[in-house]
């Protein structure tokens, strides 16, 4: 491990989602525990999926990300079958606003009626009275954005949602939504290699909004594997110095980047799960962080 100095950046282990739900910043994204290809249908190894989810919680994960579209529905059912009744410290985030009738047919449906139907179906599948974090999966170009956000605000007023999040949004959409209702999180693609959404991330940091990157290991949503687990260059060099893998350095870098980043790396493998969670204990030096400004 590298030497600690007085200039070590501080890396808080937890974040207060929406100001009142304390979560460990290294969570778990459950999307891959679905039928393949296309994240469609029930996960083939149902019992293996249950074991993996239980192991995640055992290792300290208390934030799990899912969506109605994963399965659709089966991913939420798997989570409930593995973990319900939930420990009181566990927060489950799901998403609505996408129709997925076939593995290769996925389309936004952000109508207020569909968001209400989806939220109520997720409540049933997850076996909860209130969803900790309900995210609009993606804006629907055929529905005024304010109508979709307004529908989520209504569900929150009715007590069905604790906090509201957005996914795959622009900075303008985030600002528009915040005029309607408090937004607790944004889930957009972001990694050490793909920093396209850095403007939204910075805005979220300034406004104490959680930023939940997907693709944190640069994975393709429909293909297996994580390119950042096989990186070379400076990621490899720093990984060797810490005696850890490059995917772990890529995750540690995100935790150092901003205190409001919550990680949800997905995996179907317990050894990968353990490896990813261990990234939370890696302390990077200021020199290492500076050298990762550009990854080779
Ligand atoms: N909002 C959105 O539009 C959106 C889009 C995509 C994903 N998501 C969410 O974000 C979560 C994370 O997505 P993601 O794109 O980061 O990843 P992901 O889609 O869950 O998949 C990660 C991939 O990386 C591999 N992997 C993970 N850890 C590894 C390790 N330590 N070593 C080698 N390979 C490893 C996994 O393979 P193994 O199974 O072999 O480990 C898997 O193929 C998803 O589960 C989902 O909850 C949201």
């Amino acid at each position: 491990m590298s030497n600690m100095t007085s200039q070590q950046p501080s890396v808080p282990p937890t974040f207060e989602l929406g100001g009142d739900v304390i979560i460990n910043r290294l969570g778990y994204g459950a999307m891959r525990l679905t039928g393949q290809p296309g994240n469609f249908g029930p996960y083939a190894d149902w019992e293996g999926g249950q074991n993996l989810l239980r192991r995640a919680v055992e290792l300290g994960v208390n934030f799990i990300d899912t969506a109605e579209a994963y399965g659709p529905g089966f991913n939420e059912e798997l989570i409930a079958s593995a973990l319900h009744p939930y420990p009181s410290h566990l927060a489950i985030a799901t998403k609505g606003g996408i129709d997925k009738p076939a593995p290769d047919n996925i389309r936004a449906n952000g109508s207020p009626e569909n968001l209400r139907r989806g939220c109520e179906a997720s409540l049933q599948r997850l076996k909860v009275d209130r969803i900790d974090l309900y995210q609009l999966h993606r804006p629907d170009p055929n529905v005024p954005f304010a109508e979709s956000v307004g529908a989520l605000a209504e569900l929150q007023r009715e007590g069905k949602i604790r906090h509201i999040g957005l996914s795959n949004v622009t900075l303008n959409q985030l600002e528009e939504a915040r005029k309607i209702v408090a937004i607790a999180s944004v889930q957009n693609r972001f990694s050490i290699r793909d920093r396209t959404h850095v403007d939204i991330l910075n805005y979220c940091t300034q406004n104490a909004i959680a930023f939940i990157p997907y693709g944190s290991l640069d994975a393709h949503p429909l293909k297996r594997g994580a390119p950042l687990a096989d990186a070379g260059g400076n990621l490899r060099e720093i990984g060797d110095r810490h005696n850890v893998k490059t995917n772990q350095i890529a995750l540690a870098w995100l935790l150092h980047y901003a205190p409001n980043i919550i990680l949800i790396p997905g995996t179907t493998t317990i050894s990968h799960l353990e490896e990813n969670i261990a990234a939370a204990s890696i302390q990077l030096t200021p020199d290492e962080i500076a050298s990762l400004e550009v990854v080779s």
Side-chain angles (χ1 to χ4, degrees):
M1 293 290 254
S2 52
N3 292 330
M4 299 282 282
T5 73
S6 56
Q7 292 165 7
Q8 287 294 341
S10 102
V11 186
T14 58
F15 182 79
E16 286 183 21
L17 180 72
D20 63 0
V21 181
I22 300 178
I23 51 176
N24 294 326
R25 294 177 62 212
L26 222 152
Y28 174 71
M31 180 180 80
R32 300 287 171 142
L33 300 179
T34 45
Q36 301 300 329
N39 304 316
F40 194 82
Y43 187 49
D45 179 9
W46 194 263
E47 203 184 319
Q50 291 176 315
N51 290 338
L52 187 133
L53 287 159
R54 291 181 188 130
R55 180 74 182 133
V57 172
E58 205 174 84
L59 289 169
V61 166
N62 66 358
F63 181 76
I64 296 179
D65 181 75
T66 179
E68 176 172 61
Y70 306 159
F74 290 112
N75 197 243
E76 292 176 327
E77 283 174 15
L78 177 63
I79 291 170
S81 77
L83 300 172
H84 187 271
Y86 304 109
S88 57
H89 63 277
L90 179 67
I92 297 182
T94 192
K95 314 180 197 83
I98 277 194
D99 287 339
K100 190 168 180 183
D104 55 354
N105 184 353
I106 181 160
R107 51 179 185 246
N109 181 349
S111 70
E113 300 72 37
N114 190 50
L115 287 167
R116 174 169 293 277
R117 180 212 51 75
C119 176
E120 286 171 355
S122 290
L123 283 165
Q124 286 206 353
R125 283 188 295 260
L126 288 170
K127 301 189 172 143
V128 290
D129 297 329
R130 184 173 66 158
I131 291 166
D132 298 310
L133 178 67
Y134 195 72
Q135 305 156 98
L136 179 66
H137 206 145
R138 76 165 70 136
D140 182 344
N142 298 313
V143 175
F145 185 62
E147 275 185 27
S148 299
V149 175
L152 299 186
E154 182 64 31
L155 290 162
Q156 187 181 48
R157 278 194 293 276
E158 292 171 18
K160 293 175 177 165
I161 296 176
R162 184 165 188 171
H163 293 299
I164 296 173
L166 302 173
S167 182
N168 298 302
V169 286
T170 63
L171 186 50
N172 284 343
Q173 286 167 331
L174 172 56
E175 287 179 321
E176 185 185 344
R178 291 186 77 217
K179 289 183 189 141
I180 299 167
V181 70
I183 299 298
S185 68
V186 169
Q187 186 175 137
N188 277 14
R189 195 173 174 88
F190 191 80
S191 71
I192 193 168
R193 205 174 256 166
D194 178 356
R195 305 181 196 177
T196 312
H197 294 294
V198 71
D199 56 342
I200 299 202
L201 164 57
N202 290 339
Y203 178 95
C204 288
T205 310
Q206 283 152 17
N207 291 283
I209 297 169
F211 186 86
I212 308 171
Y214 68 86
S216 58
L217 296 176
D218 213 14
H220 184 285
L222 296 174
K223 291 185 196 153
R224 191 141 190 230
L228 284 168
D230 297 312
N234 47 358
L235 275 171
R236 178 72 278 147
E237 265 170 47
I238 295 171
D240 287 348
R241 205 177 304 143
H242 287 260
N243 202 16
V244 298
K245 299 201 172 155
T246 49
N247 49 293
Q248 295 175 294
I249 297 296
L251 295 176
W253 178 84
L254 284 164
L255 293 176
H256 284 66
Y257 192 88
N260 58 322
I261 290 186
I262 313 296
L263 298 181
I264 50 163
T267 177
T268 56
T269 319
I270 287 194
S271 60
H272 287 169
L273 174 80
E274 293 173 346
E275 219 173 83
N276 294 341
I277 292 173
S281 352
I282 298 170
Q283 178 75 57
L284 299 174
T285 65
D287 284 351
E288 286 169 340
I289 292 168
S291 85
L292 290 167
E293 197 41 53
V294 175
V295 285
S296 44

